[in-house]
Structure formats: C-alpha cells, structure tokens
Amino acid sequence: MMHAGIMLEEVFLPATYAQGVPYDTFARLRAESPVCRVPEPAVGPWPSGPGYWAVFRHPDVKHVLRTAADFSSHLGATQIRDPDTPEDLRFVQAMMLNQDPPDHSRTRRIVAAAFTPRAVRALEETITDRARALVASARGEIDFVDLAADLPVWTLAHIMGIPDGDRRLLYDWASRIIGYQDADYAGLSTADLDALSPLGRAAVAQRPTTSTRPDGRPMNPRSEAALRDMFAYAHALADDKRRSPGDDIMSRMLAGGLTRPEFENMFFLFAVAGNETLRNGIPGGLLTLLDHPAEFRRLRDDPSLMDTAVDEILRFWPPVMDFRRTATRDLTLAGQTIRAGEKVVVYHASANRDPAVFPDPDRFDITRAPNDHVSFGFGPHFCLGAHLARTQMRAIYRELLSLDITLAGTPVRLVSNFQNGLKHLPVQIKPT
C-alpha cells in the first residue's frame, strides 16, 4: 500500500501527470480524505510552497467554485504556485480569471456582450470550414497534436483580429505560460519571423533573453517581466484597434469600455485559456476515442450522438485538471477546518469521476446523459468560451469520422500538474 504522504505528494508533482492522470489515487482520496492537505515540494529550480487543501468530490468542488465570498479567485490568483512577488500578484489580479464579483461581473459582461448571436454564428461557419480544410490536408502518418493546434490558434486570431502571419505567436506564448514545467515547451519559439507583421516583429524584439530572476530563482512565467513581448503586442494591437476598429471581438470589447490594463489581461486570457485547453483537449479526445474503438464506431455509425460524445470526452479528458482559490475566512469543508488565507485547490479531473454523480465513472460512454462534468468550471467563473470550445471539437471530430485512423506510435504527455496535455500523438490517417 502506498504511504499516504507519498500519495499526496504525487497529486502535486508535475512528473506524475507525464505518466497519466492519477485516477486511482483520486478515487482513494475521494473515499478516504475528500478534503486534505497536499504538500508542495520543490520541483527543479522551483522552490517549495506552503501546501494547500485539495478538494476531490464533485459536490465539494462545485461548492467551492460557486461560493466566491468564501473561496476567492482574487486573493492569491488561481494557480497553485503563489506569485513570486506582491507586484506579480497585483499584475495577475487584473485578469478576469482572477477577479471576484462585482469586478468580475462587470468585466464578464463586457466580454459576453462581444459574443453576439450574429458573431457566434459567423464563427461557427468559419470554424467548420477551417476544420474541413485542416483534416483534408492530413493523410499518412502525422502528429495529430500539431494538426489540432492550428484550429484554436486560427480561431483566436480570427476572433482577436490578429494578422494571419502572427497567429503562431499565440501558440508560442501559450506554450511558455502553460508548459513552463516541461522543458520541451518552456522555451518554445516556432513563429516564422519573416511572416510576422510589423507588430509581431516589434514584439518579438522585446522577448526576454533569460528566464531567471536577478536573485537566481526562475522567473514566474505569468509575470509581466516574463511576458514582456506578449504585452507589448497586446498594447500595440489595442492602439491599432482604437484608431481603426474592425469587425472583430477585440474591437468590440475595447469599445465596450475595457481599460488598458484590462485589455492586456484579457489578451492574456484569450491567448492562453482559449488556446492551450483545446490544443490539449482535441488530441486528448481523439486518443480517448482510439482507446475505446467500440464507442468510436458507435459515433461513426450515428453522428447525431456528437453533442453527447463531446461532453463525455470533456468529462473523460478534462483539459484543465485543477484550479486554485484562497479562503477568505476560517471555515469548515467536509469536516476539515480551513483557515483564512490558505489555498484551496479543486480537482476537476477527480470530480468528473465521482461515482456519486457518474454511474460507472471510469466507463467512456458517448451517450452519457445527464453529464454534469465540471471541465468548464462552475459558478461565476464558468467558461465564457464553452460554446466556442464545443463548436471547435464538434467541427474537427465530424471531419474525422469518415477516415481510418490508427495510432502510429506512443503518445507523449505534457509534464504539467495543471493542463491535461499531449505533446505528441502520432497517428496514421487513411480514407475509408
């Protein structure tokens, strides 16, 4: 039997997830210690942290996510690791993801107003066309992660009014921010400098030349200093759109009253949250279908099941495995006393396999209904991009149904305790 301390450390360590989400550990903790203290040991150059309260059961996860008055997104932001400095904390607190009501409510209204029904319908048509073109170009042995990554990046560039030649910058920024725990992603730079717009070239010139702070410690990948090039681009793009607004969502949000700091943090959120989640979720969904060939055949035979299939994929392969909150007061959760200021981390990946909510939770069933997964969060921070995410997933999976797809090698997972990611998914694609 695994020692309890080792098991709890396993929940935090990024290397754990390079081997797979520890669902067996989550199941044991749901049954025995549904809210418990998890240590934060040092990882490589990253120092140890104070530890946190981990929440594993579905009802408790939903309670934390919906109760902003007790569990704040703002006090310590929403990543497990604390920001390195008070300045880093203040910087990320301007992001909608890291706000509490009423500030969060105001920012969310501005963003939601930009997603008019007409805008969303137009996006659905362009997403479908883009997915069709992408899959039509894919034959023989390919890395499906590379192919899938283009759809969310292209969609975001379209939404944000970013020149086509600059869209790969979004991919690189997301890799550095989300994949900082993985050496393959931390320093990724794939943008074609010759294809960049003047805005893009000016931004790249400001990219930090080091990932180390003056004191020798690693630089927080979400800090203003680490993302100097991304925010230079965001500011320049905002200035350009204020001078010449376009028919894009970013222009509409600026017209809706976003301040300059709010815009740059909204840019951060779109560039990362709308990008990396699907870059991991779409390949993860295909791997799930390949691992369950009977369900894949079932979907091919009856494409009308696509809506429930996508939600089951999201439950089974949640792109985001956890999110952090901070207790605003002394309180009790599942019998545990949590003190004001302590971290509370909810595990979506565990909640999505809670047998009290999902009968036979480890079975992948594309007809599962109801499907109360929390892969898009819950409560005031429920993902604004959920509809767009489902649209992109449906679009690309529909195009795959008519193809013969088989694994052509071993999938390689991302080293991350936050994103449920794949770095490589080698597949063989043939027409049927």
Side-chain angles (χ1 to χ4, degrees), residues 10 13-22 317 411-416 420-421:
E10 170 195 29
L13 289 173
T16 298
Y17 300 87
Q19 309 306 315
V21 181
W317 188 289
V412 180
R413 293 182 56 88
L414 180 68
V415 179
S416 173
N420 188 14

Side-chain angles (χ1 to χ4, degrees), residues 279-356:
R279 172 176 161 187
N280 292 315
I282 291 173
L286 176 59
L287 180 58
T288 301
L289 290 166
L290 292 173
D291 284 343
H292 299 85
E295 292 300 282
F296 204 174
R297 284 194 300 272
R298 195 178 182 190
L299 185 57
R300 285 191 170 105
D301 292 341
D302 187 0
S304 71
L305 297 175
M306 185 62 76
D307 286 353
T308 54
V310 164
D311 270 306
E312 180 68 345
I313 286 169
L314 286 162
R315 182 188 75 86
F316 213 80
W317 188 289
V320 175
M321 293 181 289
D322 54 71
F323 256 117
R324 176 248 180 107
R325 298 291 189 263
T326 302
T328 63
R329 62 180 181 88
D330 293 355
L331 52 85
T332 301
L333 182 66
Q336 298 286 359
T337 299
I338 299 173
R339 301 297 181 189
E342 291 185 325
K343 304 183 202 182
V344 178
V345 177
V346 295
Y347 279 83
H348 305 79
S350 174
N352 282 354
R353 302 286 183 106
D354 190 334

Side-chain angles (χ1 to χ4, degrees), residues 173 176-177 208 221-232 268:
W173 290 325
R176 283 160 50 193
I177 295 164
R222 291 174 173 81
S223 67
E224 192 168 17
L227 296 169
R228 188 167 60 236
D229 52 332
M230 188 177 85
F231 289 115
F268 183 133

